[in-house]
Amino acid sequence: MLPEFLLPETTVREAGTGPAIALGTERGGTLILTLGITRIIEQESIDLSIWGSVDGSTWSVKPLVSFPQKFYCGTYQILLDLSDHSDIRHIRARWQVNRWGKGDPKPLFDIYLFAQQMDRQLAAVGA
């Protein structure tokens, strides 16, 4: 099923959860997750994590992986190693946002999250 957007470019103003994405044949492999932040205002942060599920309705108690807290526009990547979680069939993103300082107290981010299997990425580099 991958590569796929776990979250297409979206405007985020509060905490939220993305849709459940079925892993298909990528279960137990390693995924490259790319977080893009295309718009941000000053004095705010976003924390984004990835959660797993066996059935698509009951989600892990702890995140499978989390991006370090972000404050700036950019493109960031992390690896999600599912080799110890081969029973996970679905993943989804969750985020928390925070804003401080002057002006509108509501955060404002435009973000996207893309997932692809690591093996395909490495094969393309080696060709």
Side-chain angles (χ1 to χ4, degrees):
M1 190 122 200
L2 298 176
E4 185 168 338
F5 280 97
L6 297 182
L7 186 64
E9 190 156 8
T10 304
T11 299
V12 171
R13 305 228 49 195
E14 58 192 24
T17 303
I21 303 296
L23 291 174
T25 60
E26 283 76 17
R27 291 185 327 199
T30 300
L31 304 179
I32 299 171
L33 303 174
T34 303
L35 168 62
I37 302 174
T38 58
R39 181 170 63 155
I40 194 168
I41 53 180
E42 64 183 6
Q43 298 177 321
E44 67 180 1
S45 64
I46 186 167
D47 295 284
L48 191 136
S49 54
I50 305 300
W51 300 72
S53 173
V54 173
D55 58 10
S57 61
T58 304
W59 294 90
S60 54
V61 177
K62 298 187 306 186
L64 299 171
V65 69
S66 297
F67 282 88
Q69 189 173 58
K70 300 299 177 198
F71 302 91
Y72 303 104
C73 287
T75 305
Y76 308 95
Q77 289 188 322
I78 59 171
L79 297 179
L80 172 54
D81 182 2
L82 294 170
S83 60
D84 290 338
H85 305 283
S86 59
D87 58 332
I88 298 292
R89 297 176 185 259
H90 305 273
I91 57 173
R92 71 178 180 188
R94 281 192 199 164
W95 57 89
Q96 295 287 331
V97 293
N98 185 33
R99 174 129 167 79
W100 60 91
K102 298 179 181 179
D104 186 354
K106 199 163 192 169
L108 175 65
F109 291 89
D110 282 351
I111 64 169
Y112 65 86
L113 182 62
F114 189 74
Q116 58 192 338
Q117 190 170 10
M118 186 169 155
D119 297 339
R120 289 187 189 144
Q121 179 75 8
L122 292 176
V125 171

